[in-house]
Amino acid sequence: MRVLNVCETARGGVGTYQKLIAGLDAKGIDMHFLLPAEDAAFVGACGTRTDTFDRPRRSARALGRMVRKLLGMRRKLRPDVYFFHSTFALVGLLALRLCRDRTPALYCAHGWAVRGYGETSRKGRAIRAVEGRLSGLATFCVNVSQAERDLAGRLGYRGRHVVIENAVPEPAPDARDDLFAGDSGGLHLLFVGRLDRQKGFDLLAEGFAAAARERPDLRLHVVGAAVRGDAAAADLPANVVLHGWVDAARIDDWYRSADALIVPSRWEGLPLVIPEALRNGTPVLCARRSGMETLVTPGVTGGHFDLSAADIGDMLKALDRGGLRAMRAASRAAYEQRFAVDRLLDALASLLRDVARPGR
């Protein structure tokens, strides 16, 4: 079976997903990729199984290049199934259907775009109309979490929907746990991601500053940087350390050395930082948003908080390092049971074989 994966962008979680599903080759599924030339190095795909198009930035011209390359690969490769990734890749699926190509296709939004806008706002309504209708062109929509599936159902998105939760590979075998050994008296918290509005860093910074006035032992290590224009400006106390982006090969050092990961996002699909922390046995403190609370069991693998600076501050003030350390074994077990890569690949392989079967 030949599968052509089509990505309008392959950065961040979408690119990480491509790296993982390339593992379907080992299950007898021939995986091919179409992605922006600018993202090829990030994904690490190469050779005859990958083709690229020029996309220096998102634009109608770049979408046109993607569609032209897709139609060329269609004639050359004759895939059994297409797999489209993220919202703007739907333009490619629409082009296929306008060409009367009825080849089975999967679509994964990797987080419905409408989450980034008010559902009833003018822009939100437009996005709902586009992704809600065009998703119905796919044979199946793959939702990365149950919360994403529930949102699609509530908004009346078209198509048949399944849930296949995201996964992450095992941690680096040489991951360290002693990055903060020089400050053994501190309670070390970790934030990983963009310092942008979606990720809620502004609320975390405000809540942490309030908590740190009563808990001088609290430390916040920030791995990431602002990427978009809506980055939150914040006055940070001295016990917040901005480390910038770190080598992806060493990210497990940070998870494993921290007492807990904190995820204050305003919206997400299924944030990969949560299973990445759990694979290292690190408990997770997350906002009750976008179903993230269903990924963490309070008192077992972490905790939840309402998304406000005040609630974040109250939660941080109540943290106990010994209690967090006691959750490490259960956190690792949660990764093994729910977020291991084999589970993702087995589920996708089953779905791909089903949709490719004649007379399905």
Side-chain angles (χ1 to χ4, degrees), residues 160-316:
R160 291 184 288 178
H161 290 255
V162 297
V163 176
I164 301 179
E165 286 189 326
N166 267 345
V168 294
E170 288 282 347
D174 61 344
R176 299 171 50 186
D177 62 1
D178 60 352
L179 293 185
F180 314 131
D183 184 14
S184 58
L187 194 159
H188 295 272
L189 300 169
L190 180 67
F191 172 93
V192 177
R194 305 188 313 269
L195 309 188
D196 302 335
R197 185 176 184 279
Q198 177 195 347
K199 302 300 182 179
F201 183 73
D202 56 328
L203 299 174
L204 171 58
E206 183 180 348
F208 184 87
R213 286 193 285 270
E214 298 182 28
R215 290 284 305 270
D217 62 319
L218 293 178
R219 309 285 186 269
L220 177 60
H221 299 272
V222 180
V223 171
V227 174
R228 298 176 178 168
D230 59 356
D235 294 325
L236 301 178
N239 46 357
V240 176
V241 183
L242 301 176
H243 299 279
W245 296 112
V246 303
D247 185 346
R250 303 313 315 172
I251 189 62
D252 290 306
D253 298 349
W254 296 84
Y255 287 121
R256 192 164 294 186
S257 297
D259 294 302
L261 173 76
I262 184 162
V263 187
S265 299
R266 288 179 166 90
W267 69 89
E268 291 284 359
L270 191 159
L272 294 179
V273 293
I274 291 180
E276 285 175 350
L278 296 175
R279 74 184 177 190
N280 285 283
T282 304
V284 177
L285 309 170
C286 67
R288 297 185 185 95
R289 288 290 184 97
S290 301
M292 288 191 295
E293 66 275 14
T294 67
L295 310 178
V296 176
T297 303
V300 179
T301 60
H304 308 155
F305 52 86
D306 290 329
L307 190 57
S308 70
D311 285 317
I312 291 173
D314 289 343
M315 181 269 300
L316 294 178

Side-chain angles (χ1 to χ4, degrees), residues 114 117-126 128 154-155:
V114 74
Y117 306 89
E119 294 174 12
T120 59
S121 69
R122 183 176 180 180
K123 197 165 188 177
R125 290 196 303 270
R128 285 176 57 181
R154 181 169 59 80
L155 297 181

